[in-house]
Amino acid sequence: LTLSFAAPTVQLLTWAISEATGPRGTPLLERFAEFLGNTLLLATIVAIVCGIGAILVANAARFSGRSGTRLAARIASVGYAVPGPVVAIGSVFVLVGLDDGLGLIGIGLPGAVATGSLIGLVYAQTVRYLAPALQTVEAGIEQVPHEMTGAARSLGLRPRSVVTSVHLPLARTSVLTGLVLVTVDVLKELPIVLLLRPIGFDTLSVWTFNLASESRFEQAALPAVAIIVVALIPVGLLARQLFRGAS
């Protein structure tokens, strides 16, 4: 842990402080709040969408029990094994087709859904990172006895009521874990953001990449440290929640 995390982080922090307070300064430092806001906005939206999608898919497999439903759940998580650029290009084909479909029905929104839009960026990120949320939610729901689900159904509760009244309360830690995993992944995601981001919508990872690609590693330290700090916040909250649950 010291060699792989602590030592590099200390070095990055030293560079960040030196550059931020030095004569050269960090480029685009005045836009730090904007980059941070874009990063948090994207991570929050994708985490919520992935969380909702994971809950729907996992519960559909639980209630159905059919092999086709379980196979669909597995296919939904394939995006995590596919490189980011491949997901981005594939998403462009889907979104362009959606744009064309909207045009055919008279909704003239050129580019509103396809590349260069926040909707397209969120869609591609959801395809990429649904798997971590789905796996953790499934693991949490599997801890709920089937007899408890059956008892709730026998009392006349609809599947939606069973999910909100039984499954989610008992699997809330797993749901929270999935949200944290997705959030951390989105915070550091680069290829999809570079290819699909709206004009002017830069994140901390893009800022870091632009500086590092020019071999300005010391100046890239500040946004890199910011990513680490922001990612540690949800991880710390999750660890605190797990510690409370264990005690």
Side-chain angles (χ1 to χ4, degrees):
L1 182 63
T2 300
L3 293 176
S4 63
F5 176 73
T9 301
V10 170
Q11 181 62 71
L12 287 173
L13 187 60
T14 302
W15 282 344
I17 296 175
S18 174
E19 290 297 323
T21 58
R24 291 191 304 173
T26 302
L28 303 178
L29 183 59
E30 67 279 0
R31 297 183 60 190
F32 179 84
E34 177 187 346
F35 294 145
L36 178 60
N38 291 341
T39 303
L40 294 176
L41 175 64
L42 181 61
T44 301
I45 295 176
V46 175
I48 292 174
V49 173
C50 286
I52 295 174
I55 292 171
L56 293 175
V57 173
N59 280 282
R62 176 66 175 262
F63 286 116
S64 173
R66 298 177 181 176
S67 58
T69 306
R70 296 187 179 277
L71 177 61
R74 299 283 69 80
I75 294 176
S77 60
V78 169
Y80 199 60
V82 180
V86 177
V87 173
I89 299 303
S91 299
V92 168
F93 285 106
V94 175
L95 295 167
V96 168
L98 180 57
D99 270 344
D100 293 340
L102 292 175
L104 291 176
I105 62 176
I107 302 178
L109 298 175
V113 179
T115 180
S117 72
L118 184 59
I119 295 176
L121 182 56
V122 170
Y123 170 76
Q125 296 265 34
T126 301
V127 172
R128 181 81 166 87
Y129 296 118
L130 179 62
L134 180 57
Q135 291 175 0
T136 54
V137 171
E138 283 182 331
I141 292 178
E142 285 299 322
Q143 300 301 316
V144 181
H146 286 269
E147 293 79 8
M148 186 174 295
T149 302
R153 292 286 287 148
S154 66
L155 292 174
L157 291 181
R158 296 182 177 181
R160 182 176 61 182
S161 300
V162 176
V163 172
T164 57
S165 302
V166 180
H167 290 177
L168 287 183
L170 295 177
R172 60 182 180 274
T173 301
S174 296
V175 174
L176 179 60
T177 302
L179 294 178
V180 170
L181 291 176
V182 174
T183 300
V184 173
D185 277 333
V186 175
L187 287 174
K188 57 186 179 61
E189 167 62 34
L190 178 63
I192 294 177
V193 180
L194 277 176
L195 292 172
L196 298 180
R197 73 189 190 277
I199 296 177
F201 189 90
D202 291 331
T203 62
L204 292 174
S205 61
V206 174
W207 187 17
T208 305
F209 171 78
N210 289 337
L211 292 175
S213 62
E214 299 173 359
S215 298
R216 303 160 77 174
F217 301 112
E218 294 86 354
Q219 295 177 329
L222 178 60
V225 170
I227 294 175
I228 296 174
V229 172
V230 174
L232 284 176
I233 294 175
V235 173
L237 294 176
L238 175 61
R240 182 180 179 184
Q241 179 70 22
L242 294 175
F243 179 77
R244 286 182 175 180
S247 59

